[in-house]
Amino acid sequence: QTKKSYTIGLVAKSQGNPVFQAARVGAVDAAKELGKKYDINIKIDWRTPNEEDAQKQAEAIEQLVLAGADGIAVSCSDANKLTDAINSAVKNGVPVATFDSDAPASKRFVTYGVDDIKCGEQVMEELAKVMGGKGVIAILAGNQNAPNLQKRVQGVKNAAKKYPGITIRDTYYHKETPQDAAAKVEQVMQANPDITGWAMIGGWPLFTDNALKWQAGTIKCVSVDALPAELAYLKSGHVQILLAQQVYEWGYRSTEHLINKIHLKKNPENVKDVSPLIPVTKENVDAFAKNWEKWLPK
Amino acid sequence: MSANNSPATPVRSRRLRLQEGGLLVVILLLGVLLTVFGGSVKVPKFETNAEGERVRVFRTNESGDKEPVLVEKNKFLNAQNLAQVAKDTSFIAIMAVGATFVIISGGIDLSVGAIYALASVLGALVLQRCGPEGAHAGLSPWISVSLGMLACVGTAVLCGFLNGGMIVALRVHPFIITLGTMAILRGVAFVITKGQSIGGFPQAFRDLIRWEIGDGLSLVPLVVMIIVTIVGGIYLARLATGRRVYAIGGNELASKFSGIQVNRVKLSVYIISGLTAGIAALLSIGYYGGATSGDGQGYELNVIAAAVVGGASLAGGKGSALGALLGALVIQLITTGIVILQIDQNYSQIIMGIVVIVAVVLDQLNNLLAKRRLLSHSK
Amino acid sequence: MSANNSPATPVRSRRLRLQEGGLLVVILLLGVLLTVFGGSVKVPKFETNAEGERVRVFRTNESGDKEPVLVEKNKFLNAQNLAQVAKDTSFIAIMAVGATFVIISGGIDLSVGAIYALASVLGALVLQRCGPEGAHAGLSPWISVSLGMLACVGTAVLCGFLNGGMIVALRVHPFIITLGTMAILRGVAFVITKGQSIGGFPQAFRDLIRWEIGDGLSLVPLVVMIIVTIVGGIYLARLATGRRVYAIGGNELASKFSGIQVNRVKLSVYIISGLTAGIAALLSIGYYGGATSGDGQGYELNVIAAAVVGGASLAGGKGSALGALLGALVIQLITTGIVILQIDQNYSQIIMGIVVIVAVVLDQLNNLLAKRRLLSHSK
Amino acid sequence: MAYLAFQNINKRFPGVQALDQVSFEIERGSCHALIGENGAGKSTLGKILAGVYTADEGGMVLEGQPICPTNPLAARHLGIAMVHQELAFCPNLSVAENLCLGDLPRHAGWLDKTKMRKLARAMLAEIDCDINVDLPINELSTGQEQLVQIAAALGTKAQIIVMDEPTSSLSLHESENLFQLLAKLKERGITIIYVSHRMEELFRLCDHITVLRDGKHVSTEPIPATNPERVIQQMVGREVKQYTSQHLHKDLGEELLRVENLCSPGKFKDISFTLRAGEILGFAGLIGAGRSEVAQAIFGLDENATGKVFIHGKELALRSVVAALKMGIGLLPEDRKRLGLVLTMNCRENTSLTILNRLSKLGFVRQGQERSMVQGYVDRLHVKTPSIDAPVAGLSGGNQQKIALAKWLARQCKVLIVDEPTRGVDVGAKAEIHHLLDELACQGLALMVISSELPEVMNLSRRIIVMRQGDIAGELARQDFSQTNLMRLMAGIEAKAA
Ligand SMILES: Nc1ncnc2c1ncn2[C@@H]1O[C@H](COP(=O)(O)OP(=O)(O)OP(=O)(O)O)[C@@H](O)[C@H]1O
Ligand SMILES: Nc1ncnc2c1ncn2[C@@H]1O[C@H](COP(=O)(O)OP(=O)(O)OP(=O)(O)O)[C@@H](O)[C@H]1O
Ligand SMILES: [Mg+2]
Ligand SMILES: [Mg+2]
């Protein structure tokens, strides 16, 4: 008898963003490990738009269903736009899991990740801690049209209300390339040398090694994500805390949930599977860096 | 004198038919390729139950478990998939028809993606108000749907008018004007939505656009696309105003000399381009149920690419509505093909780039052959 | 004979001067605006310590705390900020000079962003190998830096050659070819990097490009930008080959009739466009120290916009290298201005769109006025 | 009171005063000639009447009413139409569509194609022209295009028609048709303003003649009261010497060009002839006879050409302009706007385009040398331009032609093909051009002169080849030159063996 085989569709937000590449590695690893465990074949079908585009994601889900995928994991660029696509997949017998960004009104059976508003709040809280609760901060936010980033901005602003000593200068957007991000930070610092803290809700500038041109420690910085290129800033002391999203787990856990559902017919205990942000600091950076040996695409 | 122009008519029309023939051949080729190499897929069988809902058919297998009944289908060549391809094509194709007008007139419209976003957002806001959780939830579905459509399409037409008006009044190259409005309109969309997604539309609206027949085929986008193409085609080929679009694209000065009101024609093509972006936006918010200011990012290039692959000449004076549709279809088939043939997504951009170039080269080759044939016939 | 050509020369050169003058006026205006309304800012004072490092100066204030010494500067008009503006301008400006060649020749190059990415990535890979953690860390800094530069610029030139070659050989509109290669090259960059950022270059390379003088001004990008503009300007205005670029853009057929090897000229402009993308890529990886396949996304439009704002005509036959630089500068000043004037970032896109249109309108107005003046002089 | 009066019209362009206080009157139903050197302001005046330009000062009075058409459509409503000197069509549209462009026949909003074709055919029939109305314009030859242009203007049923050099690329036969038509129009009471450099035409057709010089009005006289010499005196302000061809008295050199069985499907077939150093070979034929196509094929521009061409005994690679240029062939094309000039460039850059290599050192264009070379030709050919750095697009038609020619004179080829070299050039400059061509022949060049003006070919050539429908219909030696002999061959009636 031939082995049972499953195809899992994986739809992330954008192809070029390295965090999703790590998710992909996680999914592929999960497919291998679970395949061995249950003696089945699992294939990961990666269908991610080149640039962020919710409509393309919806189309990808529909196409995956038609192409016979057995389960789909998706990180929703726009919850409203994806709700119907997810529902219709479910109706066609294809269970859907969401990771990173949820579509709460849809019939997805599980969501893995952290709430974007919570993520923003946590960034602000960590930043407030290292700044001693006072100072002028700027928010760096990437593409202004991305709803999830807007939610994080919202989170930062919410949390900032708790700290009367902290004023937010503005939210600065940039084209999502490391260089444009780094240039934006430079410009803002030129024009606002009184800024003493940066809340980066996407770590774009930290992919370059020349983004933060101040003496380490004079200005505090907390950023989301802790990719290998970003870790150097922790070591140099320019960045105090990186809040690592569990990007590898996005793929791994989603695949696990889906296989549990379709192969073992087992539902998760909780629809919301929360993946906490892991604070990475100078102290644990080396241990954390080891993870990337496993998480990077080979 | 009248004797020697009789052979001419068929010559011209034959060539015209052949012109889009090149693309049709490319599309057929892609279709055959996908049918043959795509293989087959097992999908659950559906039936309509007593309540009129489509539900899966189950059976009990040997081990006593309930198991969905599966049917085997060709992966590419089945009604669902074709409907899906048509739907996915429709948004770009509809806008490409409008872009073709602009391109024929010798202009360019980089703001279609931004118009699409702004129209989506404004339409969505109105619809949300009338939606189940909106302030005006009580409005009759007809009125609320009409209001939403009006807001969406009206905004788009207005944006087109703005483009055309500035191009005509300021006498600045359309590339610059629409590059400017591309930023402005998207900026406005962002300010309005604050970057948040807008959803929660009246069910009537969603049902209208997602209306399905038979085996879950939703054909509204397809039908709209065909109507837009036909109307656009008739406008360009059969109406006097259509001739004028070709004329100003061919030689603006000569058109002016022969008394064509060039400015009016220019204005009209940008309005049409806006209109088609509005129609596409309306379909998209209806079909997908949400709108953000980031919608349609980068679509301007896709739309222009579809028009140009469809035979529109960026130098002006050449192009057709049908071509735009076929151009969009070619591009969509590549995307679909990559999924169906299970090609690693990493290579998708490379393949897309190559196929676009190859399609245009093939199309051109076909035109060349047609001309050769014509030449040898006329010998 | 020589007597009556003396009045001619000033007519031409005066007009030329005025042509870019329009943009210069716009830039000056923006500069004055930012200087006056930007206000001043207190920045920490730096001094160079014994080890040659720049460190902040501290003093002890009344309450006995150590406190950095602050100096007050105009927010816009200070060396650091101007150097910053120049650096930020340089990448787009350098590419815009290359794009101007293509646009003058009547073509278009949509692939510059992708070339920039691929060149960055390949250059970065080579440099990484030679970097502190690379396999060839032992190589002499000179060799490794040269190898990296060669890889980066060489790749870009090759890509330009690919574009030009296909445009010439397949006789397909450059819009389509470069749209195709835009996808292909970015796809290749992605496949090579797997979407990861590449860094860890030899210190020699970083130091070369980030070389600073005086008060932390890094002027290498500025200097390279000026060199590229001057060389480009001389090429276009003084060389026979430059003349040919204008000729084929003005009338390709007539150029062919005059014996210009149109294909060769076309090939050359795409190679030049690739080359400038390569130079910009080299500067950027050197300055920022990292490369990803997503670099330069959407730059094609910025670059073309800079060239067109700088006076290049998309119909071909018109444009200048200096114009491209000034065009890029205008666009950069808007971005900088929004930050300096502390305008709400939410409106940045809207402002950007409006200013681009206004700048071109003003420039055009200036040309018109110049013509008027010429008319009344000739009375 | 006069039917139409120009009153103190002034028009300036950058660097030139195109019209300077021009006033004169035109009678209803007359054919009024307008003549002057290249750049005298004839076209500008016509364009002001036709609403293309508006005068800076002054005005026009039509039947006692002051008029000021600000665009071509307004002029058309006033009953004014113009045949433009520079042919202006939409190349992508068919003849029928171009002819009806201003007023497309509609049937409840729909374009009525049948009616459009019928209208177009009727318009062409009016001028006795037989062109397939479904052909796209860009497949017509220059002459055919000119005919269509005339038909378009006549088709507007205007009361006043400005004809700006309508015969400049028509051959005798078509011109003759046009003249008959003009006579008919006059009978109908239509007023014609006729611009031409062909003196004979003016004296045959027109009732009055107005001479312009440097934008100023010189005289308006009834035709019977004047004569060609007087008119030339008025327009040039000096004597124009008639050159007699000197090269005819020199011995011919060796064979420079040999064409054997040159064919191009659908265009021409089996063209063979030879050309020797110091010889001028004329090419005559009706419109569409294929003369220009042969020239282009020799120059390497015809992708389908087959056959053999030898230059100085060496075989020339067909279908390559580069090869042709290298072997020393030059071609002045007939359509100066499309093929001859780069309109975005100035006079200097256009003239030096063919010799950039020769002019440059280490790749740098030697500007001083370039200037003096260009200035030399500009002076020699009397190009009227504010400066050699003025954009060529602002030049009058005749002056553009001179620049296009200068470009090839500068190149100093061994074999020079000139296609309608004096199209739209005034009498003075024409004589100068003839003189130049003659001089070139004396220097040992081989020249091929294609011209629709029989006197021109007859005056210049040693031999004339007549083409008809893509074939060589016959060849005449100098002693057999006569209009009748030529016309016979052109029209297909065998001439008696000479
Ligand atoms: N658009 C323009 N821009 C600049 N100068 C112009 C323009 N049109 C005409 N001129 C100038 O005005 C003058 C008169 O030109 P016009 O075309 O009326 O001459 P013309 O008498 O028709 O000559 P031709 O016999 O060569 O056709 C010329 O010196 C010409 O250079
Ligand atoms: N691009 C083209 N495509 C197809 N047919 C063409 C094209 N150009 C010219 N022809 C046709 O070829 C024939 C020969 O034209 P050609 O211009 O060589 O004639 P000619 O003897 O030079 O006459 P003319 O006095 O009009 O210049 C004409 O009937 C014309 O319609
Ligand atoms: Mg004239
Ligand atoms: Mg001819």
Side-chain angles (χ1 to χ4, degrees), chain D residues 200 209 227:
Chain D
E200 325 84 78
I209 186 161
N227 59 58

Side-chain angles (χ1 to χ4, degrees), chain D residues 13-301:
Chain D
F13 288 110
V16 275
Q17 182 84 30
L19 291 174
D20 190 0
Q21 299 290 354
V22 173
S23 313
F24 66 97
E25 296 178 342
I26 291 173
E27 282 170 27
R28 167 176 243 133
S30 72
C31 182
H32 197 109
L34 200 54
I35 194 167
E37 280 185 297
N38 294 131
K42 308 177 293 289
S43 302
T44 307
L45 192 68
K47 283 180 182 167
I48 288 175
L49 182 62
V52 176
Y53 296 149
T54 42
D56 297 338
E57 286 156 44
M60 294 165 292
V61 178
L62 179 65
E63 292 183 302
Q65 299 290 322
I67 55 166
C68 182
T70 46
N71 61 57
L73 198 61
R76 174 141 6 138
H77 289 320
L78 290 166
I80 302 165
M82 180 165 181
V83 179
H84 288 278
Q85 180 179 15
E86 300 303 336
L87 308 168
F89 279 125
C90 301
N92 53 331
L93 299 184
S94 72
V95 171
E97 285 165 337
N98 269 294
L99 280 175
C100 301
L101 204 52
D103 189 17
L104 290 162
R106 257 167 300 177
H107 189 78
W110 298 80
L111 180 64
D112 189 341
K113 287 196 173 173
T114 332
K115 195 169 164 203
M116 182 176 75
R117 282 201 200 96
K118 221 160 86 191
L119 275 176
R121 260 176 234 140
M123 284 157 96
L124 288 174
E126 182 95 352
I127 59 165
D128 205 7
C129 166
D130 178 22
I131 295 172
N132 183 345
V133 296
D134 290 312
L135 277 181
I137 284 284
N138 59 13
E139 299 200 352
L140 299 186
S141 72
T142 317
Q144 289 170 320
E145 221 177 298
Q146 181 124 44
L147 288 173
V148 178
Q149 183 95 46
I150 295 169
L154 295 181
T156 59
K157 305 281 175 252
Q159 286 305 301
I160 301 175
I161 299 178
V162 185
M163 296 211 162
D164 198 354
E165 307 196 24
T167 54
S168 68
S169 47
L170 295 191
S171 69
L172 213 57
H173 176 72
E174 288 87 11
S175 307
E176 210 50 58
N177 283 342
L178 180 67
F179 300 156
Q180 279 163 21
L181 176 71
L182 291 182
K184 265 193 275 174
L185 291 177
K186 247 170 31 180
E187 276 165 28
R188 278 193 234 151
I190 290 172
T191 310
I192 296 157
I193 299 174
Y194 193 91
V195 182
S196 176
H197 290 295
R198 297 186 185 175
M199 205 67 74
E200 325 84 78
E201 287 175 13
L202 301 182
F203 278 83
R204 227 184 97 186
L205 288 171
C206 301
D207 310 309
H208 297 271
I209 186 161
T210 290
V211 180
L212 295 180
R213 187 164 81 214
D214 292 336
K216 293 190 190 64
H217 178 250
V218 178
S219 73
T220 299
E221 290 171 314
I223 285 286
T226 185
N227 59 58
E229 288 71 38
R230 184 178 151 80
V231 169
I232 291 175
Q233 179 66 39
Q234 284 170 339
M235 62 185 266
V236 187
R238 60 181 157 83
E239 280 292 319
V240 172
K241 276 175 274 166
Q242 274 300 323
Y243 283 98
T244 46
S245 297
Q246 296 299 314
H247 73 279
L248 295 170
H249 311 301
K250 293 217 170 177
D251 288 335
L252 289 180
E254 57 213 325
E255 182 183 287
L256 279 186
L257 173 70
R258 173 181 207 87
V259 176
E260 283 179 4
N261 295 324
L262 197 62
C263 294
S264 175
K267 291 178 178 167
F268 54 83
K269 56 178 186 292
D270 288 335
I271 306 292
S272 307
F273 62 90
T274 62
L275 184 56
R276 296 169 67 178
E279 185 177 35
I280 297 185
L281 174 61
F283 267 75
L286 297 182
I287 288 189
R291 296 163 297 168
S292 307
E293 311 265 329
V294 169
Q296 292 179 13
I298 295 172
F299 194 56
L301 285 159

Side-chain angles (χ1 to χ4, degrees), chain D residues 424-437:
Chain D
V425 168
D426 66 47
V427 270
K430 189 185 275 181
E432 184 62 38
I433 289 173
H434 287 174
H435 180 54
L436 264 167
L437 294 178

Side-chain angles (χ1 to χ4, degrees), chain A residues 24 55 62 78 84 145, chain B residues 87 116 197 206 293 295 346:
Chain A
R24 184 180 186 181
Q55 188 168 323
E62 291 166 340
D78 174 356
D84 275 343
N145 293 305
Chain B
K87 191 263 296 167
Y116 179 86
S197 167
R206 304 299 311 285
S293 57
D295 286 353
N346 287 1

